[in-house]
Amino acid sequence: MTEPIRFPTKIAVLLRNDLASWQRLNVTAFLISGIASTLPELVGEEYRDADGTSYLPMFGQPVLVFAGDRATLVGAHSRALARGLRLAIFTSELFATGNDRDNRAAVEAVGREKLDLVGLALHAPRNVVDKVLKGASMHP
């Protein structure tokens, strides 16, 4: 049996725990695209099946998904920014927009302290992610 790989970093998504199922999936997909686009070194090699068909590469390490209430998200957001971490964020207003331009405008219209966060994603050393996500639990 192969030893499990222990990564020195974590890719984590934190979702507000009152979202509908479709919203959790949508928010996770959008947030993780921010990590993949800015940290291409986290993406592995292309996949190939036994017939030689190639498939798009994916992250080379797991993505952990957590849940928490609004206060947990606000706290995680503040702790991440205080540590100088870059984040992907998703606010409730983005459910009403239909494109990237309008998404960015919706975020830009609200001050940092008033963002209605429903999700965030980050990549950092394991212990830093654990501190930032204090109070969150693994998504059920």
Side-chain angles (χ1 to χ4, degrees):
M1 187 169 166
T2 314
E3 286 287 318
I5 298 172
R6 183 159 168 90
F7 296 95
T9 62
K10 280 186 182 178
I11 302 170
V13 174
L14 174 59
L15 302 172
R16 204 164 72 194
N17 57 11
D18 62 349
L19 298 177
S21 293
W22 74 266
Q23 290 173 318
R24 288 191 301 266
L25 295 170
N26 183 266
V27 171
T28 300
F30 270 95
L31 289 171
I32 212 61
S33 71
I35 301 293
S37 67
T38 58
L39 297 165
E41 66 273 14
L42 295 176
V43 178
E45 301 292 323
E46 280 190 354
Y47 285 72
R48 292 194 191 291
D49 63 26
D51 298 317
T53 305
S54 64
Y55 302 94
L56 295 173
M58 296 184 282
F59 284 127
Q61 70 182 79
V63 175
L64 304 172
V65 181
F66 296 84
D69 60 15
R70 178 170 165 61
T72 302
L73 266 109
V74 168
H77 180 255
S78 294
R79 287 188 294 275
L81 293 177
R83 287 172 169 77
L85 300 177
R86 293 196 65 204
L87 298 172
I89 63 165
F90 199 102
T91 66
S92 63
E93 293 82 6
L94 303 188
F95 291 124
T97 61
N99 60 72
D100 185 54
R101 182 193 67 234
D102 292 342
N103 286 351
R104 285 183 283 109
V107 172
E108 189 173 17
V110 180
R112 181 177 51 241
E113 299 297 322
K114 298 201 188 271
L115 291 171
D116 186 14
L117 296 168
V118 298
L120 60 83
L122 71 152
H123 170 261
R126 296 177 66 82
N127 63 334
V128 173
V129 171
D130 292 341
K131 289 175 184 170
V132 167
L133 298 185
K134 181 181 175 185
S137 56
M138 287 297 291
H139 192 282

